[in-house]
Amino acid sequence: MKMQWSKVILICLVWAGSTAQSVCAQIRVLCAGDSITKGYGVDIPYPTRWSNNTGMFTINSGVGGVWASYGLSHIDGWLIKYAPTHVLILYGTNDTGDHPDHDLQNAAESVIETARRVRAYGAIPIVGTIPPKIGPRAYLMPRVKSFNGYLRSYAADEGILLADIYAAFGSGRGLFISDGFHPNDQGAEIIARTFAEKIQYFSVNPTSIQVPETETTGQTFAVQAATAWTTTVDQAWITIAGGGSGTSDGAVVFNVAANTGLARTGTIAVAMGNLVGTVTVSQAAATLEARPSSFALSSTEPAYHHQITVTAHLPWTATANQPWISIFSGSNGVGNGVTTFIVATNGGGARSGTITFSIGDTVRTVTINQWPASTWGQASPSDFDGNGSAELSVFHPATGNWYVLFGGVTRWIHAFGWASALPVPADYDGDGLQDFAVYHPATGNWYILESATGHSMVIQFGWSATVPLPGDYDGDGVADLAVFHPAAGRWSFLCSTAGRYHVQWGWSTTVPVPADYDGDGATDIGVYHPASGNWSILPSSFPAIGPIQTNWGSASEIPVPADYDGDGKADIAVFLRATGTWRIVYSGGGNRTKAFGWSTTIPVAADYDQDGKADLAVYHPNSGNWHVLKSSTGGIWVNNWGCSTAKPTLLYPLIHSWFGLP
């Protein structure tokens, strides 16, 4: 029997070397039973002997004089209180006493039900047969044998581990105290060792494995087991290639098929008797990338082959959802590849479609945006489709995405820019449409996407200390590059017709307010001094029209010049954010004060209703709502287009932010 203790201790030591913590130290054993478990008549109860010899943490819940029903009624509370990993159950000695009317079959069922609850909790139950009775109690042996018979049968049916203590005692001579049924110290030693023989050590390592989406072979995990074990899998895409079973420590080898869909998981179960260990196999979703994620194409370029770069490890397909988008090549592929497409000429309004790339359930979409038919008119602020009304447009710095709502129907999302770039849309190609454009303050570079051609260009004009102010300063119908140097009050221009020149107009505490104040079709230089409320404007028609000097505003009011009366001239106006009040001086005479907005809104005046007049409008960053007071009807239009981290692309809200104003 000493050999058995050595075996248990040796296993603990071996496992301690292969795991972060000794297996024996991880085990918590609860000993449930009557006075035999409690240790009546012995110096050292069997649970203590067990703990001393194995190093396992042990709780002794033995209570003298109780029947099997006592253990059943208390086991739930013990499980919660002690959280054992194993439970040794030894009841029945009192059930087989001088109580001929006591139902031994029911007593055995109570023991088995106790074991069931232990197993349901997640611990491992080990049921012990009761020792024989000798001497003055020998007449009760038929009851002992009957009870043990029921116990063996039920345990076998349930797959519950059984420690046959009765068999280990043999005749029982020399193993009991004088009463003939309480074991002595020698008998307690036998009980402890008999239970120890049934402790089965079992583990799988690791318990989770991550594999890529491609076919993977030769994956392994270790099995540590005391006896025979087998493996099963719950997914067809996992196959066992080796080590499907064993009789002791070993390794399982498995293969994983390629994943053509979403991320998935499966389980490999390793069973040793009634004990089951599981390994979770997680496989990544099929890799599929398509770049760029969006296009903004001109209305007239049907023969140009646009390219989408596809990154994938598996076979993929590409499909277009609009008849005006035609895939020329690369409608499918295996691994990395390129898809080319063409678009038909657009004779109508702005439109959008998609090309969808698929690997099973994994899809990626590329948005194909096409500009409307060119109008070759003069573009109005925020008019991206040339229909005479401003679009709702925001720029999301975190992603560099533009979000444009055409006519309240067509929704564009296009990536053009990055976090440190500033949106500066204008009609740089003279086709009557606002072009996507960003300015990089650190380098002074302008990045422009022409709506007329769908091509982009980069122009260096400006530096980190300047503010970009695009406008048609030479009146030729094409937006010019311009920057304002606040520290020096200096304007610099790169005009499509007039070329390069500089103008000194303003100083460090002024805010630039360029607009067409004289109605000649050219953008005029202007500055606003918040501290005094003074406007200083140098018309493009100068010297025919002298400088315009007007006092209108205050330190708390934001300049919002626009053509509010529809006479073709920008009007001087301010917005008091604290109260949401607009104050306008009309170029033709008269003025207006109107409350429209509130303290958390941003003014975004523009012509949203195609009547040639700028409408009072505010944008609420917290909600992304636009509120427009239509000059044509007097009605209020509310639309949600944006979010707290997106910024309207109109010029003057950006100017305000650049100068630290709301």
Side-chain angles (χ1 to χ4, degrees), residues 493-515:
F493 303 94
L494 178 59
C495 295
S496 53
T497 298
R500 292 175 179 259
Y501 64 96
H502 307 279
V503 176
Q504 186 71 38
W505 195 261
W507 59 98
S508 61
T509 57
T510 56
V511 177
V513 285

Side-chain angles (χ1 to χ4, degrees), residues 306-627:
H306 303 278
Q307 290 190 345
I308 301 171
T309 300
V310 182
T311 303
H313 296 156
L314 301 170
W316 50 268
T317 59
T319 56
N321 74 336
Q322 296 293 335
W324 52 272
I325 304 172
S326 300
I327 295 178
F328 182 80
S329 65
S331 60
N332 58 76
V334 180
N336 299 340
V338 173
T339 295
T340 63
F341 69 95
I342 58 177
V343 295
T345 298
N346 186 10
R351 59 188 181 182
S352 285
T354 60
I355 296 177
T356 299
F357 295 83
S358 303
I359 298 178
D361 297 327
T362 300
V363 297
R364 301 289 184 268
T365 56
V366 175
T367 302
I368 314 299
N369 299 313
Q370 191 175 29
W371 294 101
S374 297
T375 61
W376 296 96
Q378 187 172 8
S380 301
S382 201
D383 185 4
F384 287 87
D385 60 4
N387 68 347
S389 67
E391 269 68 59
L392 306 188
S393 173
V394 296
F395 177 73
H396 193 225
T399 61
N401 283 338
W402 294 70
Y403 297 81
V404 183
L405 183 62
F406 291 93
V409 178
T410 302
R411 299 167 179 255
W412 272 35
I413 302 175
H414 184 66
F416 193 79
W418 58 96
S420 59
L422 303 173
V424 285
D427 185 9
Y428 296 95
D429 54 12
D431 66 348
L433 310 178
Q434 294 279 296
D435 302 314
F436 294 142
V438 295
Y439 176 78
H440 189 209
T443 62
N445 285 338
W446 298 68
Y447 298 80
I448 300 169
L449 178 62
E450 294 183 330
S451 56
T453 65
H455 301 156
S456 61
M457 59 181 175
V458 182
I459 302 174
Q460 203 288 319
F461 190 75
W463 63 99
S464 60
T466 58
V467 177
L469 299 168
D472 185 8
Y473 292 92
D474 56 8
D476 63 354
V478 178
D480 306 309
L481 309 188
V483 295
F484 176 69
H485 187 201
R490 183 180 175 88
W491 298 70
S492 299
F493 303 94
L494 178 59
C495 295
S496 53
T497 298
R500 292 175 179 259
Y501 64 96
H502 307 279
V503 176
Q504 186 71 38
W505 195 261
W507 59 98
S508 61
T509 57
T510 56
V511 177
V513 285
D516 184 8
Y517 295 95
D518 56 6
D520 65 351
T523 303
D524 303 316
I525 298 171
V527 294
Y528 171 73
H529 188 217
S532 64
N534 286 330
W535 295 69
S536 299
I537 299 165
L538 181 63
S540 56
S541 53
F542 179 86
I545 298 178
I548 302 171
Q549 301 287 337
T550 300
N551 184 272
W552 189 257
S554 65
S556 57
E557 290 179 299
I558 301 169
V560 285
D563 184 9
Y564 294 96
D565 56 6
D567 65 352
K569 300 178 181 179
D571 304 310
I572 291 173
V574 292
F575 176 73
L576 181 57
R577 202 162 183 251
T579 62
T581 301
W582 299 71
R583 297 198 301 128
I584 305 168
V585 178
Y586 295 115
S587 56
N591 58 74
R592 181 191 186 190
T593 299
K594 176 68 176 179
F596 188 76
W598 58 99
S599 61
T600 56
T601 56
I602 300 171
V604 286
D607 184 8
Y608 295 95
D609 55 4
Q610 297 178 297
D611 66 348
K613 301 178 182 178
D615 305 306
L616 306 187
V618 294
Y619 173 73
H620 189 219
N622 293 342
S623 65
N625 284 337
W626 296 67
H627 300 255

